[in-house]
Amino acid sequence: MNRKDDIIVVQGNQTLTGKVSVSGAKNSALKLIAASILANDVCTIQNVPNISDIDIMCQVLESLGAKVDRKDHTLVIDSSFINSVEASYKLVSQMRASIAVLGPLVSRFGEAKVAMPGGCQIGARKIDMHLMGLRQLGVKFDVNFGYLNATVPSKLRGANIRLDFASVGATENILMASVCAEGRTIIDNAAREPEIVDLCNFLNEIGCSIHGAGTSVIEIEGVDVNSLHGCTYKTCGDRIEAGTYIVGGAATGGPLTVEGIDPDYLKTAIRKLRDMGVDVKIDKDSITVSRDATKPLRTVQVQTLPHPGFPTDLQAQFMLLACLAEGTSIITENVFENRFMFAAEIMRMGANISLQEHHAVVKGPVKLQGAPVSSTDLRAGASLVLAGIMAEGTTTVTEVGHIDRGYEDFVDKLCRLGAEIERKNPKK
Ligand code: EPZ
């Protein structure tokens, strides 16, 4: 049964309260799987979320020849069986993050053939910085028939690489292409996301030599590729999944506790919640939110930026919160060129939003009304379900395949928090 045709039916006027544990970070686990190519050995990756993007990345590794065993939330990958350097269009077109195999393949095999990743609803998702960085390391690219053909004519040499923008993907591919290059590589203006730190920790666990993870200057000392080996590694908690549930608790009143997350990952978002009048309590690996939902929130100004700035992956969620604030809030999207599609859908539920280039002007408070709506990307989809929980009446959300990409057991977790919500196949 194709669950992508499912719909999610949400009853409104519900309060999300109680405890929820987040899964491992999608945007880390996907790259750890790619990095396991380098080990030429067995890597055990724990706390891997059970989501469709992980399924696809596992298929990519298997298409290269790796053996992949999945037991609950643990992956055991034996990359010593890899006998191909080609990542097919069929798989890459389903999930553009497959491009993360490029760096590891050129490091280990000196070549790679990876389908050009398409764009997606939120933007063109260019890879020019990935290619610029790898070219500086000595990789040559031919692009034909929709494929990137990478070769290393002599050998990979360390380089000083400065990124125009602190791109997560470019930082990751340059990291994985430089770990066995001759000499030292410096990545200047590197991405600082917690998922980058997770990747660097994993790479050091398999024998690489990386310093400065989490800062904007990362130094990589090249090591012999044959010295790399397997490891056992636990993926960090998913800060965006955590932030999504936290917004659900803040929107409906809570108290709601998210467990399994380092609050340091969400400092900016937590500060914004407090500015809006939400009570936020933090512990070593949990965050609790609550507020009097009979009163409006205070307005908010959000500018999405690379970490530690406000995360673009929480932009839709905070646009939803801004609908509950008394006055005018401004949400500015600086990372992706087309990430306001959520606004169009939530306006159908009664939100008062005007879009001016990369600014969204949100006026409130507004009592949203349930309506049939459609997910445009995974974060907008999750936010539409949250909107349905706080709206008047019933909301049906379609294109839920987007949500499955990044949220494990989303409906079950929300039910356990008090939502009246069900997922069903409309054809049944
Ligand atoms: C990662 O995408 C995440 N995806 C995104 O999460 C996240 O929104 C994004 O980082 C920013 O935090 C994964 O990790 C799988 P970027 P990525 O390279 O690596 C432009 C989600 O919802 N750019 O930092 O693609 C690019 O077009 C997803 O989980 C270039 O122009 O992000 C974009 O506008 C959505 N040239 C901006 O930079 C390049 O060579 C940020 O891209 C690379 C990027």
Side-chain angles (χ1 to χ4, degrees), residues 146-192:
Y147 276 84
L148 269 175
N149 296 286
T151 54
V152 179
S154 56
K155 71 178 292 153
L156 293 168
R157 291 184 193 289
N160 287 349
I161 300 167
R162 174 166 174 75
L163 294 177
D164 290 343
F165 178 88
S167 156
V168 169
T171 301
E172 291 160 343
N173 254 327
I174 294 166
L175 266 171
M176 294 189 279
S178 67
V179 288
C180 301
E182 192 169 271
R184 172 178 299 178
T185 295
I186 306 271
I187 307 176
D188 191 4
N189 194 25
R192 299 171 55 188

mmCIF file of all heavy atoms in Angstrom, residues 146-192:
data_model
loop_
_atom_site.group_PDB
_atom_site.id
_atom_site.type_symbol
_atom_site.label_atom_id
_atom_site.label_comp_id
_atom_site.label_asym_id
_atom_site.label_seq_id
_atom_site.Cartn_x
_atom_site.Cartn_y
_atom_site.Cartn_z
ATOM 1 N N GLY A 146 23.381 14.483 -17.044
ATOM 2 C CA GLY A 146 22.774 14.593 -15.721
ATOM 3 C C GLY A 146 23.598 13.989 -14.617
ATOM 4 O O GLY A 146 23.143 13.877 -13.483
ATOM 5 N N TYR A 147 24.832 13.585 -14.958
ATOM 6 C CA TYR A 147 25.699 12.978 -13.940
ATOM 7 C C TYR A 147 26.957 13.814 -13.721
ATOM 8 O O TYR A 147 27.510 14.382 -14.667
ATOM 9 C CB TYR A 147 26.098 11.554 -14.359
ATOM 10 C CG TYR A 147 25.074 10.512 -13.991
ATOM 11 C CD1 TYR A 147 23.973 10.272 -14.823
ATOM 12 C CD2 TYR A 147 25.164 9.788 -12.810
ATOM 13 C CE1 TYR A 147 23.014 9.337 -14.486
ATOM 14 C CE2 TYR A 147 24.197 8.842 -12.459
ATOM 15 C CZ TYR A 147 23.133 8.621 -13.302
ATOM 16 O OH TYR A 147 22.176 7.693 -12.958
ATOM 17 N N LEU A 148 27.374 13.848 -12.474
ATOM 18 C CA LEU A 148 28.664 14.422 -12.096
ATOM 19 C C LEU A 148 29.684 13.290 -12.198
ATOM 20 O O LEU A 148 29.541 12.285 -11.500
ATOM 21 C CB LEU A 148 28.611 14.858 -10.622
ATOM 22 C CG LEU A 148 28.199 16.255 -10.245
ATOM 23 C CD1 LEU A 148 28.128 16.347 -8.731
ATOM 24 C CD2 LEU A 148 29.173 17.267 -10.799
ATOM 25 N N ASN A 149 30.670 13.406 -13.092
ATOM 26 C CA ASN A 149 31.726 12.400 -13.157
ATOM 27 C C ASN A 149 32.974 12.998 -12.537
ATOM 28 O O ASN A 149 33.574 13.915 -13.093
ATOM 29 C CB ASN A 149 31.980 12.024 -14.622
ATOM 30 C CG ASN A 149 30.736 11.356 -15.239
ATOM 31 O OD1 ASN A 149 30.444 10.197 -14.930
ATOM 32 N ND2 ASN A 149 29.986 12.109 -16.017
ATOM 33 N N ALA A 150 33.327 12.495 -11.345
ATOM 34 C CA ALA A 150 34.473 13.048 -10.608
ATOM 35 C C ALA A 150 35.663 12.117 -10.766
ATOM 36 O O ALA A 150 35.514 10.898 -10.653
ATOM 37 C CB ALA A 150 34.114 13.196 -9.133
ATOM 38 N N THR A 151 36.819 12.707 -11.044
ATOM 39 C CA THR A 151 38.061 11.914 -11.072
ATOM 40 C C THR A 151 39.143 12.695 -10.328
ATOM 41 O O THR A 151 39.031 13.897 -10.134
ATOM 42 C CB THR A 151 38.546 11.690 -12.532
ATOM 43 O OG1 THR A 151 38.656 12.970 -13.169
ATOM 44 C CG2 THR A 151 37.595 10.796 -13.294
ATOM 45 N N VAL A 152 40.192 11.961 -9.892
ATOM 46 C CA VAL A 152 41.320 12.605 -9.221
ATOM 47 C C VAL A 152 42.569 12.272 -10.028
ATOM 48 O O VAL A 152 43.142 11.189 -9.871
ATOM 49 C CB VAL A 152 41.451 12.094 -7.763
ATOM 50 C CG1 VAL A 152 42.643 12.763 -7.084
ATOM 51 C CG2 VAL A 152 40.165 12.371 -6.981
ATOM 52 N N PRO A 153 42.960 13.164 -10.972
ATOM 53 C CA PRO A 153 44.069 12.866 -11.890
ATOM 54 C C PRO A 153 45.380 12.508 -11.178
ATOM 55 O O PRO A 153 46.031 11.544 -11.547
ATOM 56 C CB PRO A 153 44.222 14.160 -12.692
ATOM 57 C CG PRO A 153 42.918 14.859 -12.588
ATOM 58 C CD PRO A 153 42.371 14.472 -11.250
ATOM 59 N N SER A 154 45.730 13.234 -10.159
ATOM 60 C CA SER A 154 46.985 12.854 -9.473
ATOM 61 C C SER A 154 46.628 12.386 -8.067
ATOM 62 O O SER A 154 46.376 11.202 -7.864
ATOM 63 C CB SER A 154 47.963 14.027 -9.434
ATOM 64 O OG SER A 154 47.334 15.140 -8.807
ATOM 65 N N LYS A 155 46.590 13.315 -7.117
ATOM 66 C CA LYS A 155 46.106 12.893 -5.786
ATOM 67 C C LYS A 155 45.468 14.091 -5.097
ATOM 68 O O LYS A 155 45.679 15.239 -5.518
ATOM 69 C CB LYS A 155 47.241 12.296 -4.948
ATOM 70 C CG LYS A 155 48.281 13.284 -4.440
ATOM 71 C CD LYS A 155 49.312 12.565 -3.593
ATOM 72 C CE LYS A 155 48.624 12.135 -2.376
ATOM 73 N NZ LYS A 155 48.805 11.158 -1.527
ATOM 74 N N LEU A 156 44.680 13.832 -4.093
ATOM 75 C CA LEU A 156 44.009 14.924 -3.385
ATOM 76 C C LEU A 156 45.026 15.638 -2.496
ATOM 77 O O LEU A 156 45.802 14.995 -1.777
ATOM 78 C CB LEU A 156 42.865 14.361 -2.535
ATOM 79 C CG LEU A 156 41.705 13.769 -3.330
ATOM 80 C CD1 LEU A 156 40.771 12.988 -2.410
ATOM 81 C CD2 LEU A 156 40.934 14.857 -4.066
ATOM 82 N N ARG A 157 45.076 16.962 -2.636
ATOM 83 C CA ARG A 157 45.998 17.749 -1.814
ATOM 84 C C ARG A 157 45.215 18.739 -0.953
ATOM 85 O O ARG A 157 44.256 19.349 -1.429
ATOM 86 C CB ARG A 157 46.961 18.544 -2.727
ATOM 87 C CG ARG A 157 47.938 17.687 -3.468
ATOM 88 C CD ARG A 157 48.946 18.545 -4.295
ATOM 89 N NE ARG A 157 49.676 17.691 -5.243
ATOM 90 C CZ ARG A 157 50.594 16.801 -4.874
ATOM 91 N NH1 ARG A 157 50.897 16.676 -3.586
ATOM 92 N NH2 ARG A 157 51.184 16.034 -5.788
ATOM 93 N N GLY A 158 45.644 18.878 0.283
ATOM 94 C CA GLY A 158 45.000 19.820 1.188
ATOM 95 C C GLY A 158 44.987 21.223 0.603
ATOM 96 O O GLY A 158 45.845 21.557 -0.223
ATOM 97 N N ALA A 159 43.981 22.021 0.991
ATOM 98 C CA ALA A 159 43.881 23.394 0.451
ATOM 99 C C ALA A 159 43.218 24.288 1.475
ATOM 100 O O ALA A 159 42.573 23.795 2.409
ATOM 101 C CB ALA A 159 43.045 23.365 -0.837
ATOM 102 N N ASN A 160 43.395 25.597 1.292
ATOM 103 C CA ASN A 160 42.663 26.573 2.126
ATOM 104 C C ASN A 160 41.396 26.947 1.373
ATOM 105 O O ASN A 160 41.467 27.575 0.315
ATOM 106 C CB ASN A 160 43.514 27.812 2.385
ATOM 107 C CG ASN A 160 44.634 27.514 3.375
ATOM 108 O OD1 ASN A 160 44.624 26.443 4.003
ATOM 109 N ND2 ASN A 160 45.575 28.407 3.521
ATOM 110 N N ILE A 161 40.247 26.522 1.878
ATOM 111 C CA ILE A 161 38.982 26.695 1.156
ATOM 112 C C ILE A 161 38.088 27.643 1.940
ATOM 113 O O ILE A 161 37.830 27.413 3.127
ATOM 114 C CB ILE A 161 38.281 25.329 0.971
ATOM 115 C CG1 ILE A 161 39.191 24.392 0.162
ATOM 116 C CG2 ILE A 161 36.915 25.494 0.316
ATOM 117 C CD1 ILE A 161 38.753 22.934 0.180
ATOM 118 N N ARG A 162 37.671 28.738 1.259
ATOM 119 C CA ARG A 162 36.775 29.671 1.943
ATOM 120 C C ARG A 162 35.398 29.604 1.307
ATOM 121 O O ARG A 162 35.251 29.720 0.093
ATOM 122 C CB ARG A 162 37.316 31.111 1.835
ATOM 123 C CG ARG A 162 36.327 32.085 2.420
ATOM 124 C CD ARG A 162 36.796 33.482 2.700
ATOM 125 N NE ARG A 162 35.657 34.304 3.115
ATOM 126 C CZ ARG A 162 35.085 34.236 4.327
ATOM 127 N NH1 ARG A 162 35.568 33.403 5.235
ATOM 128 N NH2 ARG A 162 34.043 34.988 4.629
ATOM 129 N N LEU A 163 34.401 29.365 2.106
ATOM 130 C CA LEU A 163 33.035 29.296 1.587
ATOM 131 C C LEU A 163 32.398 30.683 1.589
ATOM 132 O O LEU A 163 32.485 31.402 2.583
ATOM 133 C CB LEU A 163 32.200 28.345 2.449
ATOM 134 C CG LEU A 163 32.590 26.863 2.418
ATOM 135 C CD1 LEU A 163 31.720 26.057 3.365
ATOM 136 C CD2 LEU A 163 32.484 26.300 1.002
ATOM 137 N N ASP A 164 31.738 31.026 0.469
ATOM 138 C CA ASP A 164 31.031 32.321 0.422
ATOM 139 C C ASP A 164 29.877 32.328 1.425
ATOM 140 O O ASP A 164 29.502 33.363 1.960
ATOM 141 C CB ASP A 164 30.454 32.560 -0.986
ATOM 142 C CG ASP A 164 31.563 32.830 -1.995
ATOM 143 O OD1 ASP A 164 32.695 33.145 -1.537
ATOM 144 O OD2 ASP A 164 31.314 32.711 -3.205
ATOM 145 N N PHE A 165 29.283 31.138 1.609
ATOM 146 C CA PHE A 165 28.136 31.005 2.513
ATOM 147 C C PHE A 165 28.386 29.759 3.356
ATOM 148 O O PHE A 165 28.933 28.774 2.860
ATOM 149 C CB PHE A 165 26.838 30.848 1.686
ATOM 150 C CG PHE A 165 25.595 30.666 2.520
ATOM 151 C CD1 PHE A 165 24.869 31.759 2.974
ATOM 152 C CD2 PHE A 165 25.169 29.393 2.880
ATOM 153 C CE1 PHE A 165 23.725 31.592 3.752
ATOM 154 C CE2 PHE A 165 24.042 29.212 3.658
ATOM 155 C CZ PHE A 165 23.318 30.311 4.099
ATOM 156 N N ALA A 166 28.032 29.779 4.614
ATOM 157 C CA ALA A 166 28.326 28.641 5.505
ATOM 158 C C ALA A 166 27.395 27.474 5.179
ATOM 159 O O ALA A 166 26.520 27.097 5.965
ATOM 160 C CB ALA A 166 28.170 29.065 6.961
ATOM 161 N N SER A 167 27.581 26.917 3.995
ATOM 162 C CA SER A 167 26.738 25.829 3.504
ATOM 163 C C SER A 167 26.981 24.537 4.269
ATOM 164 O O SER A 167 28.120 24.077 4.378
ATOM 165 C CB SER A 167 27.032 25.587 2.008
ATOM 166 O OG SER A 167 26.683 24.269 1.635
ATOM 167 N N VAL A 168 25.907 23.930 4.780
ATOM 168 C CA VAL A 168 26.004 22.651 5.502
ATOM 169 C C VAL A 168 26.527 21.568 4.551
ATOM 170 O O VAL A 168 27.539 20.911 4.830
ATOM 171 C CB VAL A 168 24.628 22.266 6.077
ATOM 172 C CG1 VAL A 168 24.631 20.826 6.601
ATOM 173 C CG2 VAL A 168 24.223 23.239 7.177
ATOM 174 N N GLY A 169 25.878 21.399 3.428
ATOM 175 C CA GLY A 169 26.251 20.327 2.495
ATOM 176 C C GLY A 169 27.642 20.486 1.946
ATOM 177 O O GLY A 169 28.399 19.515 1.847
ATOM 178 N N ALA A 170 28.005 21.715 1.605
ATOM 179 C CA ALA A 170 29.350 21.939 1.048
ATOM 180 C C ALA A 170 30.413 21.649 2.107
ATOM 181 O O ALA A 170 31.420 20.980 1.830
ATOM 182 C CB ALA A 170 29.475 23.371 0.543
ATOM 183 N N THR A 171 30.152 22.111 3.353
ATOM 184 C CA THR A 171 31.101 21.824 4.442
ATOM 185 C C THR A 171 31.295 20.318 4.588
ATOM 186 O O THR A 171 32.416 19.820 4.691
ATOM 187 C CB THR A 171 30.580 22.415 5.769
ATOM 188 O OG1 THR A 171 30.420 23.827 5.621
ATOM 189 C CG2 THR A 171 31.545 22.137 6.917
ATOM 190 N N GLU A 172 30.199 19.575 4.528
ATOM 191 C CA GLU A 172 30.257 18.114 4.720
ATOM 192 C C GLU A 172 31.014 17.417 3.591
ATOM 193 O O GLU A 172 31.892 16.575 3.840
ATOM 194 C CB GLU A 172 28.830 17.556 4.834
ATOM 195 C CG GLU A 172 28.136 17.984 6.119
ATOM 196 C CD GLU A 172 26.625 17.867 6.069
ATOM 197 O OE1 GLU A 172 26.039 17.766 4.966
ATOM 198 O OE2 GLU A 172 26.029 17.867 7.160
ATOM 199 N N ASN A 173 30.713 17.794 2.354
ATOM 200 C CA ASN A 173 31.405 17.127 1.242
ATOM 201 C C ASN A 173 32.885 17.477 1.219
ATOM 202 O O ASN A 173 33.734 16.601 0.971
ATOM 203 C CB ASN A 173 30.750 17.487 -0.099
ATOM 204 C CG ASN A 173 29.937 16.322 -0.664
ATOM 205 O OD1 ASN A 173 30.290 15.148 -0.466
ATOM 206 N ND2 ASN A 173 28.843 16.638 -1.322
ATOM 207 N N ILE A 174 33.222 18.733 1.511
ATOM 208 C CA ILE A 174 34.634 19.132 1.541
ATOM 209 C C ILE A 174 35.349 18.412 2.689
ATOM 210 O O ILE A 174 36.459 17.891 2.514
ATOM 211 C CB ILE A 174 34.761 20.665 1.678
ATOM 212 C CG1 ILE A 174 34.213 21.353 0.421
ATOM 213 C CG2 ILE A 174 36.214 21.061 1.930
ATOM 214 C CD1 ILE A 174 33.981 22.841 0.585
ATOM 215 N N LEU A 175 34.693 18.312 3.848
ATOM 216 C CA LEU A 175 35.272 17.574 4.978
ATOM 217 C C LEU A 175 35.631 16.159 4.534
ATOM 218 O O LEU A 175 36.771 15.709 4.666
ATOM 219 C CB LEU A 175 34.242 17.474 6.113
ATOM 220 C CG LEU A 175 34.260 18.507 7.213
ATOM 221 C CD1 LEU A 175 33.033 18.346 8.107
ATOM 222 C CD2 LEU A 175 35.531 18.386 8.049
ATOM 223 N N MET A 176 34.671 15.461 3.949
ATOM 224 C CA MET A 176 34.865 14.037 3.640
ATOM 225 C C MET A 176 35.792 13.825 2.454
ATOM 226 O O MET A 176 36.392 12.762 2.296
ATOM 227 C CB MET A 176 33.496 13.370 3.437
ATOM 228 C CG MET A 176 32.688 13.346 4.723
ATOM 229 S SD MET A 176 31.196 12.346 4.623
ATOM 230 C CE MET A 176 30.072 13.479 3.804
ATOM 231 N N ALA A 177 35.956 14.861 1.620
ATOM 232 C CA ALA A 177 36.906 14.741 0.502
ATOM 233 C C ALA A 177 38.315 15.087 0.942
ATOM 234 O O ALA A 177 39.289 14.740 0.262
ATOM 235 C CB ALA A 177 36.486 15.668 -0.643
ATOM 236 N N SER A 178 38.463 15.743 2.085
ATOM 237 C CA SER A 178 39.794 16.232 2.501
ATOM 238 C C SER A 178 40.472 15.337 3.544
ATOM 239 O O SER A 178 41.669 15.471 3.799
ATOM 240 C CB SER A 178 39.668 17.649 3.083
ATOM 241 O OG SER A 178 38.934 17.592 4.292
ATOM 242 N N VAL A 179 39.729 14.419 4.161
ATOM 243 C CA VAL A 179 40.282 13.674 5.302
ATOM 244 C C VAL A 179 41.482 12.794 4.934
ATOM 245 O O VAL A 179 42.280 12.419 5.807
ATOM 246 C CB VAL A 179 39.192 12.816 5.992
ATOM 247 C CG1 VAL A 179 38.230 13.709 6.765
ATOM 248 C CG2 VAL A 179 38.448 11.933 5.010
ATOM 249 N N CYS A 180 41.628 12.456 3.644
ATOM 250 C CA CYS A 180 42.784 11.636 3.232
ATOM 251 C C CYS A 180 43.639 12.366 2.207
ATOM 252 O O CYS A 180 44.492 11.765 1.542
ATOM 253 C CB CYS A 180 42.296 10.295 2.670
ATOM 254 S SG CYS A 180 41.340 9.371 3.872
ATOM 255 N N ALA A 181 43.384 13.664 2.057
ATOM 256 C CA ALA A 181 44.209 14.454 1.120
ATOM 257 C C ALA A 181 45.587 14.641 1.736
ATOM 258 O O ALA A 181 45.742 14.568 2.959
ATOM 259 C CB ALA A 181 43.546 15.806 0.861
ATOM 260 N N GLU A 182 46.584 14.896 0.868
ATOM 261 C CA GLU A 182 47.952 15.090 1.371
ATOM 262 C C GLU A 182 48.028 16.455 2.045
ATOM 263 O O GLU A 182 47.678 17.468 1.450
ATOM 264 C CB GLU A 182 48.918 15.044 0.180
ATOM 265 C CG GLU A 182 50.376 14.943 0.573
ATOM 266 C CD GLU A 182 51.219 14.634 -0.648
ATOM 267 O OE1 GLU A 182 51.386 13.429 -0.915
ATOM 268 O OE2 GLU A 182 51.630 15.592 -1.338
ATOM 269 N N GLY A 183 48.426 16.492 3.296
ATOM 270 C CA GLY A 183 48.610 17.783 3.970
ATOM 271 C C GLY A 183 47.346 18.268 4.661
ATOM 272 O O GLY A 183 46.389 17.522 4.875
ATOM 273 N N ARG A 184 47.356 19.581 4.933
ATOM 274 C CA ARG A 184 46.306 20.191 5.756
ATOM 275 C C ARG A 184 45.274 20.904 4.891
ATOM 276 O O ARG A 184 45.621 21.537 3.892
ATOM 277 C CB ARG A 184 46.940 21.203 6.719
ATOM 278 C CG ARG A 184 45.928 22.044 7.491
ATOM 279 C CD ARG A 184 46.561 22.983 8.460
ATOM 280 N NE ARG A 184 47.339 22.240 9.475
ATOM 281 C CZ ARG A 184 48.028 22.851 10.434
ATOM 282 N NH1 ARG A 184 48.059 24.156 10.484
ATOM 283 N NH2 ARG A 184 48.685 22.133 11.312
ATOM 284 N N THR A 185 44.022 20.776 5.280
ATOM 285 C CA THR A 185 42.938 21.540 4.654
ATOM 286 C C THR A 185 42.307 22.428 5.718
ATOM 287 O O THR A 185 42.138 21.992 6.862
ATOM 288 C CB THR A 185 41.875 20.596 4.045
ATOM 289 O OG1 THR A 185 42.467 19.860 2.981
ATOM 290 C CG2 THR A 185 40.664 21.377 3.522
ATOM 291 N N ILE A 186 42.042 23.665 5.317
ATOM 292 C CA ILE A 186 41.322 24.599 6.201
ATOM 293 C C ILE A 186 39.997 24.928 5.501
ATOM 294 O O ILE A 186 39.999 25.289 4.312
ATOM 295 C CB ILE A 186 42.103 25.923 6.383
ATOM 296 C CG1 ILE A 186 43.533 25.654 6.859
ATOM 297 C CG2 ILE A 186 41.333 26.878 7.298
ATOM 298 C CD1 ILE A 186 43.737 25.585 8.340
ATOM 299 N N ILE A 187 38.899 24.755 6.216
ATOM 300 C CA ILE A 187 37.608 25.223 5.678
ATOM 301 C C ILE A 187 37.254 26.484 6.455
ATOM 302 O O ILE A 187 37.048 26.429 7.677
ATOM 303 C CB ILE A 187 36.480 24.177 5.845
ATOM 304 C CG1 ILE A 187 36.898 22.828 5.261
ATOM 305 C CG2 ILE A 187 35.204 24.693 5.163
ATOM 306 C CD1 ILE A 187 35.870 21.722 5.490
ATOM 307 N N ASP A 188 37.247 27.614 5.758
ATOM 308 C CA ASP A 188 36.966 28.900 6.385
ATOM 309 C C ASP A 188 35.521 29.299 6.075
ATOM 310 O O ASP A 188 35.067 29.127 4.942
ATOM 311 C CB ASP A 188 37.946 29.942 5.809
ATOM 312 C CG ASP A 188 37.907 31.244 6.600
ATOM 313 O OD1 ASP A 188 37.178 31.269 7.630
ATOM 314 O OD2 ASP A 188 38.569 32.212 6.190
ATOM 315 N N ASN A 189 34.823 29.796 7.085
ATOM 316 C CA ASN A 189 33.378 30.069 6.992
ATOM 317 C C ASN A 189 32.611 28.753 6.882
ATOM 318 O O ASN A 189 31.621 28.632 6.159
ATOM 319 C CB ASN A 189 33.033 30.995 5.806
ATOM 320 C CG ASN A 189 31.615 31.537 5.925
ATOM 321 O OD1 ASN A 189 31.060 31.624 7.039
ATOM 322 N ND2 ASN A 189 31.010 31.874 4.793
ATOM 323 N N ALA A 190 33.095 27.754 7.609
ATOM 324 C CA ALA A 190 32.451 26.436 7.628
ATOM 325 C C ALA A 190 31.110 26.527 8.351
ATOM 326 O O ALA A 190 30.924 27.378 9.232
ATOM 327 C CB ALA A 190 33.353 25.429 8.345
ATOM 328 N N ALA A 191 30.199 25.605 8.011
ATOM 329 C CA ALA A 191 28.923 25.525 8.742
ATOM 330 C C ALA A 191 29.217 25.069 10.169
ATOM 331 O O ALA A 191 30.171 24.323 10.411
ATOM 332 C CB ALA A 191 27.978 24.542 8.046
ATOM 333 N N ARG A 192 28.395 25.524 11.125
ATOM 334 C CA ARG A 192 28.643 25.262 12.544
ATOM 335 C C ARG A 192 27.530 24.438 13.184
ATOM 336 O O ARG A 192 27.483 24.293 14.405
ATOM 337 C CB ARG A 192 28.796 26.603 13.274
ATOM 338 C CG ARG A 192 29.958 27.437 12.745
ATOM 339 C CD ARG A 192 29.965 28.839 13.314
ATOM 340 N NE ARG A 192 29.959 28.833 14.764
ATOM 341 C CZ ARG A 192 29.803 29.938 15.509
ATOM 342 N NH1 ARG A 192 29.614 31.114 14.905
ATOM 343 N NH2 ARG A 192 29.805 29.883 16.815
#
